[in-house]
Amino acid sequence: MPAGPFASSVGVGRAEPEWAALNKVTGVCGDFARRISPPRVPRVQSSPSTPFNSTPDVYELHPDIIASYGTALSGAVLAERCSAELGMTSVIIDKRDHIGGNCYDYVTEDGIRASKYGAHLFHTQHARVWEYVQRFSEWIPFDHRVKGRVPVPGAGPAGDKKLVPIPPTQETVNALFDAGVRDEDAMARWYESERVAPAHGGEPANGEEAALSRVGPRLYEVIFKHYTKKQWDKYPEELDASVLMRLPCRTSTDDRYFGDAWQALPARGYTRLFENMLLDDPNVTIRLDCDFFAHREKGTLPKHKLLVYTGQIDSYYAALGMPKLEYRSLRFEEEFVDAPDGGFFQEAMVVNYPSADVPFTRVVEYKHTPNQPNKIKKGAVRGSLIAREYSCADGEPYYPVPNPENRALYEKYAALAAKEPGVAFVGRLASYKYFNMDQAILNALEMFDNLKETGTLAPKRRPEDFGPGDGPK
Ligand code: UDP
């Protein structure tokens, strides 16, 4: 594989040796080494006049579980576990024409593995999750590292920009502020001299206070403030402190985005992982192009004992006419760059653009990942696919928007959900929680534990208990 501009002596997609050594994934590991399956997901087109995807077999099935919008992580984990350990049957329906939810990836005609819904970087500190995901895929170590094209302070709105590590490290503050920091102690002192504690003397009450009390106003201005506005259409002061706490602030030279013990990518992509989880299982029936609400309205859902609902919680209760919860969506502008210098468009897989003068938040270049198909690994593709990521209000919901108003509204929906017999609300949209992939998996695994232990499919911990803030990186 062409080394690319961001390879280290450890390899493609790896950090410098000192930091790469912290990743417990050291080589290719996990199952399904030789399994090469053709795409086998039945793509059944639904017609409005026929019930449930024109497939009477499904309509007539009486599964234990229906998972609505269920081929993403939460629904897939629950269907897999319930089948493997309890022999339960599931019908998974999804309104999209593919499995895998937002993790869905595919190989383009140019031979590049790309993600339809933005970059997904797997990382976890939970041994249980790491053990679980290795059953369905081989994994390749990947130390995700992000660079930001950050305005040099004082250079004006569209002035000079430097490419620096994000989250901030010693290199970041030296490049931007000429801070002359050479070791961890000096970096700690630098943060100390910059930090501004909240005037009220308590814990940071919002994103701005969180950022100022961690990095001070100068880094806040160039890295956090405008990026956050672009991402959420809210300034940090309008968001929970937890949003800004997702990003660590390093005193070291560790330029990895995540600090978790296990960091890797599925060797044949996420879609293959979902295929391996679900497609060979006779207890699991998948129907795509199926809209849960359309079938609920027409009364054409299969009879079932339990519903696993993974859609937006407020959509479930739309008939009640309560205010809607706020979600953030993403739009990807893809471009195939024919002949970039050295085969790559940019220096890293993800380059952030935190300044206000650039309309997108980041640019993803897929070719940097070590789980690319052979054509890329052999250097046979000169061009490169990039995706500029824009954040927007309309479109597929990606992120709940964590702030006090939305949380209060969510609590009202959660109170209704708690009283809903035979329905489990699971995952990012149904729990209105900014879960990372591994947290979504852990939540589903623990819900399954509860099903076994108590007969109820309920979470073991509250969404906010998945770690400080909304799950730091
Ligand atoms: N953030 C920022 N500047 C950056 C990267 C992140 O201000 O260059 C802030 C921003 O508010 C963002 C949050 O940190 O929403 C969490 O970033 P993360 O990369 O975790 O977002 P995700 O990858 O989940 O979209």
Side-chain angles (χ1 to χ4, degrees):
M1 179 158 180
F6 210 19
S8 79
S9 58
V10 184
V12 172
R14 303 306 312 276
E16 291 305 325
E18 185 184 357
W19 309 115
L22 298 179
N23 189 349
K24 288 192 189 171
V25 190
T26 52
V28 175
C29 55
D31 283 343
F32 294 99
R34 277 175 293 281
R35 182 168 165 170
I36 308 286
S37 58
R40 286 167 303 157
V41 183
R43 190 176 180 282
V44 188
Q45 202 62 50
S46 62
S47 130
S49 58
T50 45
F52 212 72
N53 236 6
S54 320
T55 46
D57 61 315
V58 175
Y59 184 54
E60 283 158 15
L61 280 174
H62 290 187
D64 296 310
I65 299 175
I66 298 189
S68 71
Y69 305 115
T71 67
L73 284 169
S74 307
V77 170
L78 284 170
E80 189 280 329
R81 284 293 78 209
C82 287
S83 165
E85 283 200 41
L86 303 176
M88 291 169 73
T89 54
S90 305
V91 168
I92 305 183
I93 61 179
D94 203 310
K95 70 175 172 187
R96 290 179 175 166
D97 63 1
H98 59 75
I99 64 171
N102 284 358
C103 299
Y104 177 75
D105 53 16
Y106 60 98
V107 177
T108 67
E109 55 190 25
D110 301 297
I112 299 173
R113 192 184 309 289
S115 298
K116 186 160 179 188
Y117 307 95
H120 280 70
L121 293 314
F122 183 84
H123 58 100
T124 189
Q125 52 175 313
H126 302 290
R128 179 179 187 187
V129 174
W130 176 236
E131 185 279 318
Y132 181 72
V133 297
Q134 285 182 91
R135 297 179 199 175
F136 309 107
S137 178
E138 283 187 310
W139 291 81
I140 299 180
F142 183 62
D143 304 306
H144 182 46
R145 290 174 296 159
V146 172
K147 295 266 189 186
R149 216 170 276 293
V150 177
V152 176
D160 268 2
K161 295 197 176 92
K162 282 190 175 166
L163 195 69
V164 296
I166 288 181
T169 66
Q170 294 176 18
E171 185 187 329
T172 312
V173 301
N174 287 340
L176 293 176
F177 307 113
D178 211 5
V181 169
R182 301 277 166 264
D183 55 40
E184 293 222 23
D185 286 345
M187 186 69 186
R189 285 196 300 277
W190 187 86
Y191 276 131
E192 215 41 64
S193 67
E194 296 278 317
R195 281 180 180 138
V196 179
H200 50 73
E203 291 295 309
N206 59 48
E208 180 171 302
E209 290 185 3
L212 290 175
S213 63
R214 291 178 99 203
V215 302
R218 289 200 290 169
L219 269 182
Y220 172 66
E221 174 67 28
V222 291
I223 291 185
F224 295 100
K225 185 174 172 180
H226 307 286
Y227 186 102
T228 301
K229 172 74 167 118
K230 288 195 284 186
Q231 169 75 21
W232 300 98
D233 195 25
K234 291 188 187 333
Y235 282 108
E237 65 185 313
E238 304 166 82
L239 290 163
D240 282 357
S242 59
V243 179
L244 278 288
M245 301 295 265
R246 280 173 65 84
L247 218 60
C249 297
R250 302 259 162 74
T251 51
S252 64
T253 58
D254 180 1
D255 61 350
R256 297 170 311 147
Y257 206 60
F258 312 116
D260 284 349
W262 292 279
Q263 307 189 22
L265 295 173
R268 292 174 185 82
Y270 290 97
T271 304
R272 173 62 55 81
L273 178 141
F274 285 92
E275 289 175 2
N276 287 339
M277 280 177 91
L278 300 173
L279 294 197
D280 278 345
D281 190 334
N283 285 332
V284 177
T285 305
I286 299 176
R287 286 297 177 262
L288 304 175
D289 291 316
C290 263
D291 182 32
F292 168 76
F293 291 113
H295 288 290
R296 181 170 85 167
E297 203 158 294
K298 282 189 286 177
T300 50
L301 286 173
K303 286 200 174 58
H304 56 280
K305 294 186 187 135
L306 194 61
L307 170 67
V308 171
Y309 177 77
T310 60
Q312 293 143 266
I313 188 166
D314 53 334
S315 301
Y316 189 90
Y317 292 110
L320 299 184
M322 289 161 63
K324 280 188 161 103
L325 281 164
E326 201 179 354
Y327 297 86
R328 215 55 201 146
S329 189
L330 296 175
R331 180 169 67 79
F332 302 97
E333 187 185 274
E334 291 191 346
E335 186 188 341
F336 186 77
V337 185
D338 278 330
D341 259 359
F344 287 88
F345 170 79
Q346 63 186 20
E347 299 76 356
M349 181 207 185
V350 175
V351 174
N352 283 5
Y353 286 79
S355 56
D357 61 310
V358 179
F360 43 85
T361 51
R362 50 192 174 193
V363 178
V364 177
E365 184 179 18
Y366 299 105
K367 243 180 146 183
H368 287 271
T369 58
N371 67 340
Q372 286 294 331
N374 283 336
K375 217 170 149 186
I376 301 290
K377 287 187 179 154
K378 285 189 203 135
V381 178
R382 173 109 180 92
S384 192
L385 180 68
I386 60 162
R388 294 185 186 86
E389 196 170 311
Y390 295 81
S391 172
C392 46
D394 298 323
E396 292 275 333
Y398 279 70
Y399 301 98
V401 181
N403 70 9
E405 296 75 40
N406 290 328
R407 238 178 314 119
L409 182 56
Y410 165 70
E411 290 304 333
K412 291 191 182 146
Y413 282 111
L416 292 171
K419 286 187 257 153
E420 198 73 48
V423 186
F425 292 78
V426 193
R428 209 185 236 210
L429 302 176
S431 312
Y432 204 66
K433 159 77 182 168
Y434 197 168
F435 279 133
N436 293 329
M437 281 186 284
D438 66 318
Q439 294 170 328
I441 293 171
L442 184 62
N443 182 48
L445 289 174
E446 291 185 345
M447 288 182 80
F448 175 70
D449 293 343
N450 249 340
L451 182 68
K452 276 197 304 185
E453 290 158 14
T454 67
T456 310
L457 202 53
K460 284 234 171 193
R461 41 182 138 186
R462 295 173 308 163
E464 54 271 36
D465 294 336
F466 274 84
D470 258 45
K473 298 282 185 187

